[in-house]
Amino acid sequence: MSRTGKLVVGITGASGALYAIRFLQQAPRYFNEVYLICSDQAIQVLQTELELAVTRETLGAEALLGQAWEGLKVLQPRDYFSPPASGSFRHDGMVIVPCSMGTLGRIANGSSDDLLTRAADVCLKERRPLILVVREMPFNQVHLRNMLLAAEAGATILPACPAFYHRPRTLEEAVDTVIARILQHLGIRQELMPEWGT
């Protein structure tokens, strides 16, 4: 698949809003456009965990990244006429970061009920990369079965599990070990974390 410079990003209400923000901060380096879909619960978690003064109406690059970026296209969660809802819209894949267990369950079972899960379903049917950065602990048997179903359908299950062998000194550096792995699974030569042995 030739690269388009376009990526779809979903943020759900799972704990771990910092993962979403750190990923979006890296996105302008590698993508011309990011189509962002946030659930209502995601906005609540952004407010709670990061104390961001963000609402559905103010959701955008300045609220999320602290600066303007014309490449960030914020979509409404019920707008099925937006580009990611159709398989004819070409893009480089989708990342859901963090991905709640409810969202995982709907994707794994083909039960899309909003734009976020519809866009994920499109990725699976079109054989585009779909990376689910799941965030929960512990996993119950339903969670594990849904992860297996999603993986069998073509998704990459990438749990939000930071690595520590590079000795991160801050919370952000620990989070960035996960962001680096997301970028690698999108086929990007990232510079956040050196490859092992280099």
Side-chain angles (χ1 to χ4, degrees):
M1 181 180 75
S2 60
R3 299 194 69 81
T4 66
K6 301 174 183 177
L7 185 71
V8 182
V9 175
I11 307 176
T12 74
S15 179
L18 185 58
Y19 289 105
I21 297 302
R22 296 297 284 183
F23 181 78
L24 289 174
Q25 288 171 344
Q26 289 296 312
R29 301 181 61 187
Y30 305 106
F31 297 97
N32 299 321
E33 296 177 344
V34 164
Y35 292 78
L36 178 65
I37 311 164
C38 280
S39 71
D40 291 338
Q41 294 77 17
I43 294 173
Q44 293 174 348
V45 174
L46 286 163
Q47 294 168 344
T48 301
E49 293 187 348
L50 303 179
E51 298 183 344
L52 289 180
V54 60
T55 65
R56 176 69 63 193
E57 292 71 29
T58 63
L59 193 63
E62 291 194 11
L64 296 173
L65 308 178
Q67 60 186 23
W69 179 37
E70 292 184 0
L72 186 66
K73 316 293 184 184
V74 178
L75 306 178
Q76 297 302 310
R78 298 289 174 184
D79 183 6
Y80 289 94
F81 288 93
S82 64
S86 173
S88 65
F89 173 65
R90 293 178 59 250
H91 58 82
D92 297 327
M94 180 175 186
V95 177
I96 303 180
V97 54
C99 181
S100 69
M101 292 298 103
T103 302
L104 166 70
R106 289 187 289 278
I107 293 168
N109 291 279
S111 180
S112 58
D113 63 349
D114 59 10
L115 179 61
L116 195 153
T117 49
R118 168 60 186 168
D121 193 45
V122 167
C123 283
L124 294 178
K125 78 182 185 71
E126 299 294 333
R127 300 291 191 260
R128 295 191 182 116
L130 173 62
I131 299 174
L132 306 179
V133 185
V134 295
R135 228 303 306 160
E136 186 60 273
M137 71 164 66
F139 297 126
N140 65 34
Q141 290 186 7
V142 175
H143 301 154
L144 294 168
R145 288 193 189 102
N146 284 336
M147 281 187 247
L148 180 58
L149 283 173
E152 289 174 341
T156 296
I157 307 299
L158 199 155
C161 299
F164 295 96
Y165 45 80
H166 289 297
R167 299 179 184 176
R169 293 165 293 180
T170 66
L171 179 59
E172 288 76 14
E173 287 183 0
V175 165
D176 284 351
T177 65
V178 174
I179 306 309
R181 296 294 285 151
I182 297 172
L183 292 169
Q184 286 176 330
H185 278 270
L186 288 169
I188 291 170
R189 292 183 63 86
Q190 56 79 35
E191 299 175 355
L192 277 174
M193 185 177 69
E195 295 182 12
W196 185 250
T198 60

